[in-house]
Amino acid sequence: MLFVPLPLFATLFLVLLVCRIVLTRDMTLRAHQLFAGLIALYAVQSLLVTLRWGYEIAGVAPYLVLLAPVLPAVAYLSYAALAGRQTGRKLWPLAVIAINWFAFAALPIIPDPLILMTYLGFGALLLALWWKGADALSLSPINDTREIRFAMLLTGAALVLSGLTDVFLIVDFIRNEGRNAGLVLTFVQTAFVLVIGFAASFGRAATVPEPEEDNVAPLPQPTEQDSDIVARLEELFKKEGLHRDEDLSLRRLARRLGLPDRQVSNAINRARGMSVSQFVNDFRIQEACELLRETDKSVLEVSLTAGFATKSNFNKEFSRITGRTPTQWRREHQPRET
């Protein structure tokens, strides 16, 4: 009977994820290309782990070393692509890959600690990007920022833990001649592959062209300009229903106002004391309350009309803002027949 190692199932799962993304996403967007590429790379790594430790084909080991620094760099670039255009200096992670490869070619002893630092470094950078909040992901749809940030948190943590696993492997090779390496790579690394690959499937960008980057410095206090920006946004919401767009992003709002992303984000932060996603969702909930009070539409119909992609997200935001479920709020506020 043919032995089927565990990582092979992970490989098949990741291949299916890649196919799903390619078939359902706009692949002209850089972020979608990177996320699909990231999952594909993890599928390749899982296959190489299968061949190396499942079927004991030692000849694939150099390819695992070459692939190792590519994975965290592409993971970081994928999520960073949701924060803005990637040109020039922002492509520095590619230099990190090149340094790892050069070290492997010149001094084969160096790659292990260098790869370890690469995983820990990019994991920390992803956690730092997650810490900045939803407004840092200006190209992601506002409806999806919660899931994307959670996926980014998982990915950053998994990269850090994967790096720490490499420390264990190095110690194991020193003390036990690597007797536990196969078991660790088969189970632990397969788990990391699945977590990061599945998390990457949540990465999604709004379909809007990217303008040039800006360098607007935030102001410490609210200004009249901040209030004007917020008023213009509310006017767009009232007159054009822009808030109802499920694919709405900070970048799209900024483009409509002809302003840089950061200026719009800072204006909302200072004038209203909330993030862009909270500002948009607050306006959506206001409209939802009107619909619940004045119409007989179902809660699902109200949520979709107001711009929410899912009923569960609508319920969470509604409870956050009103302290009630939509059904409770309707029961308390609908006009009573006399």
Side-chain angles (χ1 to χ4, degrees):
M1 182 177 177
L2 180 65
F3 170 61
V4 181
L6 179 63
L8 189 58
F9 290 102
T11 303
L12 295 174
F13 174 72
L14 294 174
V15 168
L16 291 175
L17 274 183
V18 173
C19 294
R20 179 174 176 271
I21 287 179
V22 171
L23 293 174
T24 61
R25 303 275 173 85
D26 180 0
M27 295 308 294
T28 63
L29 298 179
R30 176 63 57 83
H32 293 169
Q33 295 168 2
L34 285 168
F35 279 113
L38 175 63
I39 299 173
L41 286 170
Y42 269 101
V44 172
Q45 187 206 37
S46 184
L47 178 61
L48 292 176
V49 169
T50 299
L51 297 176
R52 174 65 184 90
W53 300 105
Y55 296 111
E56 299 184 355
I57 302 176
V60 303
Y63 299 104
L64 278 168
V65 176
L66 289 173
L67 184 59
V70 179
L71 299 172
V74 174
Y76 174 74
L77 285 171
S78 298
Y79 288 99
L82 297 177
R85 179 170 237 161
Q86 292 183 318
T87 56
R89 289 179 299 175
K90 291 190 177 181
L91 294 177
W92 62 266
L94 301 180
V96 176
I97 297 174
I99 291 171
N100 274 271
W101 285 353
F102 176 79
F104 176 62
L107 297 167
I109 264 179
I110 292 181
D112 282 341
L114 194 57
I115 290 172
L116 167 62
M117 289 188 290
T118 300
Y119 271 76
L120 294 178
F122 282 115
L125 286 172
L126 278 175
L127 293 177
L129 185 59
W130 167 81
W131 184 259
K132 289 182 179 179
D135 289 354
L137 304 177
S138 61
L139 296 181
S140 64
I142 288 172
N143 276 330
D144 298 336
T145 51
R146 188 195 303 268
E147 290 80 5
I148 293 172
R149 288 191 67 233
F150 182 67
M152 185 163 52
L153 174 63
L154 280 180
T155 302
L159 289 178
V160 171
L161 291 174
S162 182
L164 295 177
T165 302
D166 288 342
V167 174
F168 169 82
L169 293 175
I170 292 171
V171 173
D172 183 58
F173 270 100
I174 293 172
R175 294 184 175 178
N176 306 310
E177 299 180 349
R179 283 195 293 269
N180 299 313
L183 185 64
V184 171
L185 284 169
T186 298
F187 290 97
V188 179
Q189 292 295 71
T190 297
F192 289 142
V193 163
L194 287 173
V195 167
I196 295 175
F198 183 68
S201 68
F202 288 93
R204 194 167 78 86
T207 52
V208 59
E210 298 183 27
E212 295 299 321
E213 288 296 306
D214 60 271
N215 292 304
V216 178
L219 298 174
Q221 296 295 330
T223 65
E224 290 185 12
Q225 187 180 32
D226 294 335
S227 299
D228 178 63
I229 289 172
V230 171
R232 289 170 62 191
L233 282 174
E234 291 178 338
E235 193 69 14
L236 280 174
F237 291 169
K238 291 174 182 176
K239 288 188 175 180
E240 300 183 21
L242 185 62
H243 60 288
R244 301 189 191 105
D245 185 354
E246 293 181 6
D247 209 30
L248 188 62
S249 65
L250 170 59
R251 178 59 53 87
R252 180 164 291 184
L253 290 174
R255 290 294 300 276
R256 287 301 305 272
L257 297 180
L259 297 171
D261 301 342
R262 195 180 305 168
Q263 188 173 356
V264 175
S265 174
N266 287 336
I268 294 173
N269 295 161
R270 291 189 296 259
R272 292 299 170 84
M274 60 179 66
S275 68
V276 174
S277 60
Q278 289 173 331
F279 173 74
V280 173
N281 284 335
D282 275 15
F283 204 92
R284 288 171 171 171
I285 296 302
Q286 290 178 30
E287 179 173 346
C289 287
E290 291 180 13
L291 292 172
L292 288 170
R293 183 175 57 246
E294 299 172 3
T295 73
D296 293 327
K297 288 185 176 182
S298 68
V299 173
L300 177 59
E301 289 176 314
V302 168
S303 68
L304 295 176
T305 301
F308 289 93
T310 64
K311 185 179 176 182
S312 61
N313 191 27
F314 170 67
N315 288 336
K316 286 178 184 177
E317 289 300 308
F318 197 95
S319 297
R320 176 183 67 83
I321 294 169
T322 67
R324 298 282 189 278
T325 66
T327 303
Q328 289 172 335
W329 194 95
R330 167 176 266 171
R331 191 163 50 242
E332 293 173 5
H333 292 84
Q334 258 191 338
R336 292 178 181 160
E337 296 181 3
T338 57

